[in-house]
Amino acid sequence: MPESAVPESVAPGAVAPGSAVSGSTGTGVTGAGAAGPGSGAPSPADHDPAAAVPWGVRVAAEVGWRLLILAGALWVLMRVISAVELVVLAFTAGLLITALLQPTVAWLKRHGVPRGLATALTFISGFVIMGLVGWFVVWQVTENIDNLTSQVQQGIKDFKHWLLNSPFHVTQDQINNIADNLSQALGSNTKDITNASIEGVQVIIEVLTGIVLAMFSTLFLLYDGPKIWSWLLKLFPAAAREGVEGAGPRAWATLTAYVRGTVIVALIDAIFIGIGLFFLDVPLAVPLAVFIFLFAFIPLVGAVVSGALAVVVALVTRDPFTAAMVLVVVLAVQQIEGHILQPFILGRAVRVHPLAVVLSVAAGSLIAGIGGAVVAVPLVAVTNTVVGYLRSHARESRAESPALHGGPETEGSPPPSVSR
């Protein structure tokens, strides 16, 4: 019989002569890596370690390392910003002022005024008004400082007299000891006070530098804003340029609505609280109203600080009853602002949750002080608008070209495999 012939019957478990045998065990397995059911041999999937990891753990790992990269990039960005904090805050201030003045430039252009002349008129008038407001506040404070000092001294004497006759049983010796301790504390900390004065001079120089940078930023943003935006678009990849181009006008509309709405609300607060201070005969009513207007740009914290300042001035210069009435006026105006003015004026243009406002103001103040607290809320509002638009843009892109994105997802379908 030839060797290639196969017998008609083969005993169970026997290997036919001349057949391929895997190894020398004679198991009857043909080919490399093939195994029959129940043979106990590993399958090809068992050789992949990723197949042994649950799907949820793999997704968490994928998300985790991406979050770590984003956190590292954010940390590097914050380090860079802290190194040039003055420039960043000055440019941000210029951006906010531009958002306030740009509608005036657009209105002048619609009425036939050339762009350069419209920019110059708006820029000069805007900063002249802001300068006059600052000069008026300084002038009022310097004109009334002597009267205010005498009223503060008289208020302290009245407070001491009230303590002596109060049910707290405070004696003259205790009051003198408190005054002596304050004098000793001031005398021992003279060096610290001197250093603080030197630092104050440095702060003044930095503030003046920031004002100059903000003015130049505002001027160029008013004049060349569209060209600057077109140049920034070229820095983005071509695939993302369409989404960013659509998000830019929406972000600018949100910023403009926030700045204009905040200015209107702050002006209403300052007018009504200033009128209340005037009729209650509180000294420095107009400068206090200006402070209330300026502090209104710091959400939450600014209203509390400016209102407390007005109450303290009324308490020291007048009497507790007047201070209580000032407190009533401040609380009433703030309640009207929170429940009527902000929802009506800002409306749906700036939709930020109160918790996000609190956390953003706290984070901004920790990172960059008062300047960070001022820009925190508009930054969060703009970010919210941009993220919402980019999400909807991506969803519309997938709907328009489902073949490029793997087809539409069906409800209830299992998650795609992430194994490599």
Side-chain angles (χ1 to χ4, degrees), residues 1 22 77 86 91 163 230 238 333 370 391 398-399 401 415:
M1 181 188 310
S22 175
L77 179 62
L86 178 62
F91 177 76
L163 284 177
S230 300
V333 172
I370 297 178
R391 187 186 299 115
R398 286 195 299 267
S401 56

Side-chain angles (χ1 to χ4, degrees), residues 45-316:
D46 294 334
H47 293 288
D48 187 6
V53 181
W55 181 82
V57 177
R58 282 183 281 167
V59 172
E62 294 282 346
V63 174
W65 71 260
R66 286 175 170 84
L67 289 178
L68 287 177
I69 293 177
L70 289 176
L74 183 61
W75 182 81
V76 173
L77 179 62
M78 296 307 300
R79 296 285 294 182
V80 173
I81 290 176
S82 62
V84 290
E85 181 180 349
L86 178 62
V87 178
V88 173
L89 289 178
F91 177 76
T92 306
L95 194 64
L96 295 176
I97 297 173
T98 303
L100 178 63
L101 300 180
Q102 193 272 336
T104 304
V105 176
W107 182 84
L108 290 175
K109 287 174 58 181
R110 286 195 302 267
H111 287 75
V113 181
R115 171 183 287 273
L117 182 58
T119 301
L121 291 176
T122 305
F123 175 80
I124 294 174
S125 59
F127 278 94
V128 164
I129 292 174
M130 288 185 283
L132 288 176
V133 170
W135 170 81
F136 179 77
V137 172
V138 174
W139 173 64
Q140 284 289 308
V141 171
T142 54
E143 285 291 323
N144 295 275
I145 190 65
D146 295 334
N147 185 26
L148 182 63
T149 302
S150 62
Q151 289 181 342
V152 169
Q153 293 175 352
Q154 183 62 37
I156 293 175
K157 291 180 182 179
D158 295 340
F159 183 67
K160 290 170 59 176
H161 180 72
W162 178 81
L163 284 177
L164 292 173
N165 298 324
S166 66
F168 299 108
H169 304 289
V170 179
T171 62
Q172 183 67 39
D173 294 335
Q174 292 175 334
I175 295 177
N176 293 334
N177 289 333
I178 294 174
D180 293 338
N181 292 332
L182 290 175
S183 300
Q184 293 177 1
L186 292 175
S188 61
N189 294 325
T190 303
K191 184 178 179 180
D192 295 336
I193 294 174
T194 304
N195 293 333
S197 301
I198 296 175
E199 292 178 358
V201 174
Q202 295 176 351
V203 169
I204 292 175
I205 295 175
E206 291 181 357
V207 168
L208 293 177
T209 304
I211 290 175
V212 174
L213 290 176
M215 292 176 65
F216 274 102
S217 300
T218 303
L219 179 61
F220 287 109
L221 287 173
L222 286 174
Y223 184 73
D224 276 338
K227 293 182 180 179
I228 295 174
W229 174 242
S230 300
W231 178 81
L232 287 175
L233 282 177
K234 298 179 182 178
L235 301 179
F236 291 91
R241 200 169 295 165
E242 181 181 357
V244 176
E245 186 177 5
R250 290 165 177 81
W252 183 252
T254 299
L255 182 63
T256 304
Y258 175 83
V259 174
R260 294 171 64 182
T262 303
V263 168
I264 294 173
V265 171
L267 187 61
I268 294 175
D269 287 353
I271 290 175
F272 281 97
I273 295 179
I275 292 175
L277 295 175
F278 177 78
F279 281 105
L280 291 173
D281 199 18
V282 177
L284 301 177
V286 177
L288 286 175
V290 175
F291 278 116
I292 291 170
F293 172 79
L294 296 177
F295 276 88
F297 288 90
I298 306 176
L300 302 178
V301 180
V304 175
V305 173
S306 59
L309 179 63
V311 173
V312 169
V313 171
L315 177 63
V316 174

Side-chain angles (χ1 to χ4, degrees), residues 319-341:
D319 50 64
F321 176 77
T322 304
M325 295 302 298
V326 171
L327 180 61
V328 170
V329 172
V330 170
L331 292 178
V333 172
Q334 290 180 356
Q335 290 297 315
I336 295 174
E337 170 198 339
H339 293 86
I340 298 177
L341 295 180

